[in-house]
Amino acid sequence: MGALNQTRVPEFVFLGLTDNWVLEILFFVAFSITYTLTLLGNILIIITIFFTPRLHTPMYFFLSNLSLIDICHSSVTVPKMLEGLLLERKTISFDNCIAQLFFLHLFACAEIFLLTIMAYDRYVAICTPLHYPNVMNMRVCVQLVFALWLGGTVHSLVQTFLTIRLPYCGPNIIDSYFCDVPPVIKLACTDTYLTGMLIVSNSGTISLTCFLALVTSYTVILVSLRKQSADGRRKALSTCSAHFMVVAFFFGPCIFLYTRPDTSFSIDKMVSVFYTVVTPLLNPLIYTLRNEEVKSAMKQLRQRQVFS
């Protein structure tokens, strides 16, 4: 172990998004605005749900947790990326790199599980409405949220263990703007094929399995809507379409990035930006612009001067 510590690289160097300083300034301004709006939008949703008793239902309980995860998820990578856009040499210590990839996978996996739970919640509410109060009571919701955080932690610990067990003696240049498992293990001073396959099977299986479960849930919901009234179909479609948009925006990049072994494409950085920067902002926009209850609750809170 002592020999490993002596030869291990002390830090990693990011290549970043670009080496053009004009583009770096433009990216810094654009992503600073995006990150600020992400924080404000998601905090606004959490406050709105917290201070509105009629929104204290399973669906909005899960939505407030989604906003919390989006805040954490974007905060893992965006601040470091913004710092790197202002520096000529973009570095991160080995320990901080491992911490970044741990929390990245923790929050990403937690969001995958949460979106799956939210789809199940809509399935029960629409397909078996009479059983909904018993099946999705608040005690069950809290247990599901605890389970998703536990599952995310286990997944992230596995990914982190598979990464840190490898020797890193150089090179130390990461062709990205943040630490993630695939680009980091490429720098290991040993054959990483088996490790890469284990990582892909871990992340890829979770992403694909949950996505297929989501698609199945929404398919069953759409089929069952034929028995609903016109008003019921409209409300259900509005809610489910918002959920499915969030699912598509989040699962698309996850499946693209984590289901292929030891392969990289020039578009990976763009997909990563969408996955870590843009998607956390889209979630509050989708749920506030398409949800009349949330918009109405925000209007009432503004009139009560809660936000002041």
Side-chain angles (χ1 to χ4, degrees):
M1 188 70 181
L4 178 62
N5 289 334
Q6 289 175 2
T7 58
R8 192 183 73 183
V9 295
E11 65 180 15
F12 293 107
V13 179
F14 295 130
L15 292 183
L17 294 173
T18 179
D19 55 2
N20 185 310
W21 69 272
V22 175
L23 287 178
E24 285 188 326
I25 296 299
L26 292 176
F27 285 153
F28 177 82
V29 173
F31 294 147
S32 294
I33 295 172
T34 302
Y35 181 57
T36 302
L37 292 176
T38 297
L39 296 180
L40 293 177
N42 284 292
I43 290 172
L44 182 61
I45 287 179
I46 294 173
I47 292 175
T48 300
I49 293 173
F50 182 81
F51 283 104
T52 308
R54 63 187 170 85
L55 296 184
H56 293 175
T57 62
M59 185 177 81
Y60 292 106
F61 173 70
F62 293 136
L63 178 56
S64 62
N65 277 273
L66 179 64
S67 292
L68 175 62
I69 292 175
D70 280 334
I71 291 172
C72 298
H73 188 206
S74 60
S75 297
V76 170
T77 57
V78 178
K80 187 64 180 177
M81 178 187 69
L82 294 175
E83 178 192 66
L85 290 171
L86 299 177
L87 299 175
E88 184 176 350
R89 191 169 186 269
K90 313 164 191 4
T91 62
I92 186 171
S93 69
F94 183 91
D95 292 338
N96 287 343
C97 179
I98 297 302
Q100 187 179 53
L101 68 85
F102 170 82
F103 286 109
L104 175 72
H105 280 266
L106 168 62
F107 297 128
C109 189
E111 182 155 347
I112 286 174
F113 289 148
L114 180 57
L115 290 173
T116 307
I117 291 170
M118 291 174 73
Y120 175 71
D121 172 71
R122 290 300 85 203
Y123 163 77
V124 176
I126 295 171
C127 298
T128 58
L130 295 179
H131 298 289
Y132 183 74
N134 294 325
V135 175
M136 295 301 291
N137 58 61
M138 195 52 67
R139 180 165 174 256
V140 171
C141 293
V142 172
Q143 290 174 342
L144 287 172
V145 169
F146 174 78
L148 74 86
W149 282 110
L150 180 62
T153 301
V154 171
H155 161 77
S156 191
L157 285 173
V158 171
Q159 298 291 85
T160 304
F161 172 75
L162 291 173
T163 303
I164 62 175
R165 62 186 285 273
L166 299 172
Y168 297 92
C169 50
N172 67 336
I173 297 176
I174 298 176
D175 187 15
S176 183
Y177 59 91
F178 66 98
C179 285
D180 198 2
V181 176
V184 170
I185 65 171
K186 286 182 180 180
L187 305 179
C189 309
T190 186
D191 179 45
T192 61
Y193 177 78
L194 180 59
T195 301
M197 292 302 296
L198 289 173
I199 288 170
V200 167
S201 64
N202 186 358
S203 297
T205 301
I206 290 174
S207 299
L208 281 175
T209 302
C210 290
F211 182 72
L212 291 175
L214 283 160
V215 171
T216 302
S217 296
Y218 288 123
T219 301
V220 174
I221 289 172
L222 289 175
V223 172
S224 69
L225 287 180
R226 293 181 300 177
K227 304 175 184 178
Q228 302 280 343
S229 64
D231 186 57
R233 280 198 300 269
R234 182 184 59 81
K235 290 181 179 179
L237 283 173
S238 177
T239 302
C240 290
S241 61
H243 285 187
F244 198 76
M245 285 173 67
V246 172
V247 167
F249 286 140
F250 189 80
F251 273 85
C254 283
I255 293 173
F256 178 80
L257 292 172
Y258 297 115
T259 56
R260 45 191 168 86
D262 197 25
T263 308
S264 59
F265 300 113
S266 57
I267 199 176
D268 282 358
K269 286 185 184 180
M270 187 182 302
V271 174
S272 296
V273 168
F274 188 84
Y275 160 64
T276 59
V277 182
V278 180
T279 301
L281 172 62
L282 291 178
N283 290 351
L285 289 177
I286 290 170
Y287 281 110
T288 54
L289 294 178
R290 295 180 59 87
N291 192 305
E292 293 299 328
E293 282 189 289
V294 174
K295 288 193 289 186
S296 174
M298 287 181 176
K299 183 178 179 181
Q300 291 176 3
L301 290 179
R302 188 170 63 249
Q303 291 172 347
R304 288 162 49 190
Q305 297 183 338
V306 169
F307 296 125
S308 63

